[in-house]
Amino acid sequence: MTIDPIALAQALIRRPSVTPEDGGALGVLEEALTPLGFACQRLRFEEEGTAPVENLYARLGTAGPNFCFAGHTDVVPPGDRKAWSVGPFAAEIHNGKLYGRGAVDMKGAIAAFVAAVARDLDASGPPAGSISLLITGDEEGVAVNGTKKVLDWMRERGERIDACVVGEPTNPKALGDMIKIGRRGSFTGYLTVYGAQGHVAYPHLADNPLPRLVRMLDAITRAPLDQGNEHFQPSNLEVTTIDVGNPANNVIPAQGTATFNIRFNDMHSAASLEAWVRETFDAVGGAYDLRCVCSGDSFLTPPGPLPETVADAVERVTGKRPEYSTTGGTSDARFIKDACPVVEFGLVGQTMHKVDEHVALDDLLRLTDIYGAIIRDVFARIPARP
């Protein structure tokens, strides 16, 4: 059975699956995968206070190793539709480019992988193991009812994956530039410093919390956290907001708040960062509250069988050896790394989340070739885990 990656990408883009709405996108995938022999399971998860999310786990075969492609059909909102030169969900083709929200991030990659599987089945028959797809509708949102819960569901059923490629747009300028073999973690701190309200003319009767707030923030931003290492760029801490909410210029406020985010490499953990921040704030003194949230730890899939399999496939198709990188933000690979080795490779990311998001048709076809090369090689190089 032949599947045209361009036509499938168009069908997916035409489903307006803005997080957390599915918009029919997973149904399009099921219609493509079922005739190929995949057993498709729709998984709906809902956590109190969050919107329900539809996910899809599809598997072809029952033997190991189980090679998984992970991705998301949800997309960010299109923004001002009048700013688009075409309809954001029309999936129009102009001058060799397919336009639409999700073309790059990441419906195009999903379509390329499905087309690659179909081609490989026609050429070689069933795989020497299993091929699965873990597709979520919650990656661009709060990411609580998506990949993380699908992985929990899999563990409860004894369902294992042995290696995973995530189809995020990893290439900065041209297809074949970069493979992500890890990501920095993300740690957010929500700080409230307390004092006592009073008149500015009588400061001895008040307790101004703002000088302490400033000293606390200065103490955690004064010096770099580290210099980076072989695989990771330096960690960075950025203060993202400082709020007092005081409309009066003659009143000392009772409290001030600030939020900061740390993108950290594998020289730190969420626990070590929280301990350091609290120790630093304690040294300044005064009453404060600190709430810490880690949306994902740093991780690294060291150069080895999986990264090399992907890099070899990229080089075979594009003629260039991709860089191994851990740059950028977070992705659902931060959850998958607890289940198996994982790397990321997809399209060129220059237009993701932008007006007139688009993918070159040639890139879509070459990505299909790359995924096909990975499928042909991966089962010989990635053994099933015991």
Side-chain angles (χ1 to χ4, degrees), residues 64-333:
N66 181 5
F67 171 58
C68 181
F69 175 87
H72 60 92
T73 49
D74 63 315
V75 297
V76 297
D80 181 5
R81 296 190 180 217
K82 294 180 181 178
W84 286 70
S85 62
V86 298
F89 301 108
E92 295 182 22
I93 294 174
H94 297 280
N95 299 319
K97 299 173 182 177
L98 170 60
Y99 286 78
R101 178 60 81 224
V104 169
D105 189 14
M106 56 171 288
K107 292 179 176 181
I110 294 172
F113 186 81
V114 174
V117 172
R119 182 191 301 172
D120 188 70
L121 290 173
D122 280 346
S124 305
S130 298
I131 298 174
S132 58
L133 288 91
L134 193 170
I135 308 297
T136 181
D138 193 27
E139 198 274 346
E140 299 289 8
V142 293
V144 298
N145 294 315
T147 297
K148 190 173 182 179
K149 281 194 168 58
V150 175
L151 290 168
D152 290 341
W153 173 87
M154 292 173 66
R155 278 189 288 268
E156 292 171 1
R157 291 169 52 91
E159 182 88 10
R160 298 184 62 170
I161 52 179
D162 298 284
C164 183
V165 170
V166 180
E168 287 289 345
T170 57
N171 297 284
K173 295 181 180 180
L175 193 70
D177 283 345
M178 184 176 290
I179 297 170
K180 302 286 188 179
I181 62 170
R183 294 278 189 168
R184 294 188 300 171
S186 178
F187 174 98
T188 301
Y190 301 91
L191 171 66
T192 302
V193 179
Y194 298 102
Q197 183 174 317
H199 197 294
V200 296
Y202 303 94
H204 59 288
L205 299 178
D207 176 21
N208 195 335
L210 301 188
R212 290 195 300 276
L213 174 62
V214 171
R215 290 197 299 271
M216 287 177 174
L217 296 178
D218 175 66
I220 62 174
T221 58
R222 189 178 305 146
L225 289 167
D226 56 68
Q227 300 300 318
N229 56 33
E230 179 184 3
H231 294 296
F232 283 94
Q233 67 191 99
S235 304
N236 66 290
L237 187 157
E238 304 298 332
V239 178
T240 56
T241 185
I242 300 172
D243 300 290
V244 179
N246 181 11
N249 66 357
N250 61 349
V251 175
I252 293 170
Q255 67 180 49
T257 65
T259 303
F260 57 92
N261 180 266
I262 306 174
R263 295 302 169 104
F264 62 97
N265 57 37
D266 60 355
M267 301 167 71
H268 310 273
S269 67
S272 70
L273 288 171
E274 181 172 353
W276 167 70
V277 169
R278 289 187 182 278
E279 180 180 355
T280 304
F281 290 169
D282 288 344
V284 173
Y288 72 90
D289 281 335
L290 176 65
R291 181 170 66 90
C292 300
V293 176
C294 179
S295 63
D297 285 313
S298 64
F299 74 93
L300 177 71
T301 300
L306 180 59
E308 289 170 8
T309 298
V310 177
D312 288 347
V314 172
E315 186 173 21
R316 195 177 311 155
V317 174
T318 67
K320 59 183 176 181
R321 194 75 178 176
E323 173 190 356
Y324 290 156
S325 174
T326 59
T327 57
T330 59
S331 75
D332 276 2

